[in-house]
Amino acid sequence: MISLLLFVAVFCLVQEVESLSMSTAETKNIVVITHAAGRMGKLLALQIHEDPDLQFDTVRAVCRTEEEAYNVQCDLGGILMGSKKKKEDDDTTTTNNKPQPIPCDWLETVVVKDDNDNFESNLKKVFEDASAAVLCDASHNELVWQNDENEFCVIVPAQDEQNALSSRLLQEIEAASSSTTLDRVVLRSSMGLASDEEKKSQTMMGGEVALSGPRKAEQRLKECFDTKKGRSCVVLRLGALTDDPGMVPLVFDGSEKDALLFARYDDDSTTLHPPILSRADAARVSTHLLKKPWFGPQYCTLDCAWKIKFGRNSAGTEEAFIAASQQNLAADILTATAMKETATVTAK
């Protein structure tokens, strides 16, 4: 009798362990990256995967076309230059000369085409089982150096493309808000959106043509997420992006008054040089904002750029790398987000 009871107990324990193992195996921790085929999107996917403090099983890269997905797979996983496949019905082989991406068990590419009849439902499926998302605005402005530090131009997409990209971002925000599993959302936005707008600061960031899309996206995010308890949202307002190396010290501001923009010029300035940072560092801070537990307010807006002391010539130097490695990003971000709360309390 004792042996029978012991057998039953052991059997039940084995069944419970197997059930738990199956449940654990089926539940994946997924982070979604929209506009993943962009330069920052690819850097972000790789940094999330390589960060030991993040426990994401899958990086879901959302693309607009099959070509974009193919490029993401090749750039992040590497490629095989041609392959041979043996036919099952005979001994002949066929050769495929097209480079083939090497599969990554951590990367999932999802194509959601704009002109698809099921666009909205397909977009919702992207987020329905994810725990975090980084929404990258594909229309972000960038700064291109021409000869030296004193010659540059701020580039923004053409108006038609800007409108299309902004429209898609608004739909991505709504789709993300329908998910019941998301607990962290980061929206890539742009400086120059302070409520007390000044034309000079807008011009530095590409003008209204570059800022109208991010402004609408921030408004839509607030409408969709601000009242959802248990979900943390960060609007990351970046300076003009460059393709320089990363690991440069960053400065943050949470006052929502474009303080970092205004710090770049005075009334006598003739060169409207915006705050800058590389896409690699923009991806680095976005990755940091995904870490748990969340240390900031439930909903906050954060400006981010390179520290003024470190210009373009500092990128890749030992001094900048050491300073960036020693920077406590969590503490600096928390200090910056407290600016808005302090100002609100003071105003009351």
Side-chain angles (χ1 to χ4, degrees):
M1 184 68 179
I2 296 176
S3 299
L4 180 60
L5 291 175
L6 182 62
F7 172 79
V8 172
V10 171
F11 178 78
C12 292
L13 179 61
V14 170
Q15 291 293 101
E16 184 177 350
V17 170
E18 288 181 352
S19 176
L20 180 61
S21 300
M22 290 179 63
S23 175
T24 303
E26 292 174 357
T27 305
K28 289 186 176 182
N29 197 11
I30 300 172
V31 57
V32 174
I33 301 175
T34 64
H35 188 51
R39 283 167 286 178
M40 178 180 162
K42 294 174 186 176
L43 289 167
L44 180 58
L46 198 58
Q47 290 192 28
I48 290 175
H49 169 62
E50 294 180 344
D51 194 313
D53 295 331
L54 293 178
Q55 303 297 321
F56 293 110
D57 303 300
T58 302
V59 176
R60 180 173 292 160
V62 183
C63 306
R64 293 177 296 171
T65 64
E66 297 289 349
E67 183 180 1
E68 283 188 356
Y70 174 79
N71 290 335
V72 170
Q73 293 166 2
C74 289
D75 287 346
L76 298 184
I79 59 175
L80 293 172
M81 298 303 294
S83 61
K84 291 184 178 181
K85 185 178 180 181
K86 188 174 182 178
K87 292 184 178 180
E88 296 180 357
D89 54 346
D90 55 39
D91 294 332
T92 61
T93 58
T94 58
T95 302
N96 184 2
N97 293 323
K98 182 180 179 181
Q100 298 299 310
I102 300 174
C104 296
D105 57 0
W106 57 271
L107 177 66
E108 176 190 353
T109 53
V110 178
V111 177
V112 181
K113 298 181 179 180
D114 294 329
D115 57 355
N116 192 293
D117 293 336
N118 301 318
F119 174 75
E120 291 186 8
S121 60
N122 290 341
L123 206 53
K124 288 182 179 180
K125 290 179 182 178
V126 166
F127 298 98
E128 65 183 10
D129 58 347
S131 58
V134 181
L135 308 177
C136 290
D137 179 8
S139 61
H140 197 282
N141 44 40
E142 69 172 314
L143 188 143
V144 177
W145 304 103
Q146 295 180 333
N147 293 321
D148 53 40
E149 287 273 350
N150 296 319
E151 294 188 25
F152 63 90
C153 60
V154 177
I155 297 178
V156 298
Q159 185 68 65
D160 291 344
E161 182 183 3
Q162 180 95 359
N163 292 338
L165 294 172
S166 297
S167 175
R168 180 180 173 105
L169 178 59
L170 296 180
Q171 291 171 299
E172 289 170 347
I173 292 171
E174 290 186 358
S177 69
S178 68
S179 171
T180 59
T181 57
L182 276 181
D183 58 21
R184 183 75 51 79
V185 178
V186 177
L187 172 67
R188 184 180 78 171
S189 189
S190 172
M191 291 184 189
L193 298 176
S195 56
D196 53 343
E197 300 164 8
E198 292 188 15
K199 289 186 177 180
K200 196 171 186 179
S201 63
Q202 289 187 357
T203 301
M204 291 177 71
M205 297 305 299
E208 185 59 24
V209 65
L211 299 176
S212 61
R215 184 179 289 110
K216 293 176 183 177
E218 287 193 17
Q219 182 179 356
R220 185 66 56 86
L221 186 78
K222 196 170 185 65
E223 292 170 353
C224 292
F225 282 95
D226 196 23
T227 59
K228 293 182 180 289
K229 297 187 181 299
R231 298 187 182 185
S232 54
C233 293
V234 182
V235 176
L236 186 59
R237 291 180 176 176
L238 301 172
L241 297 176
T242 77
D243 286 325
D244 295 302
M247 288 306 290
V248 173
L250 301 170
V251 61
F252 302 96
D253 176 74
S255 66
E256 297 186 36
K257 295 182 179 180
D258 279 337
L260 300 184
L261 262 177
F262 296 142
R264 298 293 301 190
Y265 66 86
D266 53 40
D267 293 338
D268 298 326
S269 176
T270 56
T271 302
L272 299 182
H273 187 310
I276 64 171
L277 76 162
S278 65
R279 287 177 172 83
D281 275 330
R284 179 163 66 96
V285 70
S286 298
T287 299
H288 197 83
L289 292 171
L290 295 175
K291 295 185 178 182
K292 296 182 179 181
W294 174 235
F295 45 83
Q298 178 184 337
Y299 192 100
C300 65
T301 300
L302 191 68
D303 288 20
C304 176
W306 281 349
K307 287 187 176 181
I308 295 180
K309 173 186 174 182
F310 296 91
R312 187 187 178 209
N313 293 333
S314 300
T317 65
E318 183 179 6
E319 178 190 6
F321 182 86
I322 293 175
S325 300
Q326 296 175 343
Q327 183 177 13
N328 188 333
L329 291 181
D332 289 351
I333 290 171
L334 189 57
T335 300
T337 55
M339 293 177 183
K340 179 68 180 298
E341 294 181 341
T342 302
T344 302
V345 172
T346 303
K348 291 179 180 179

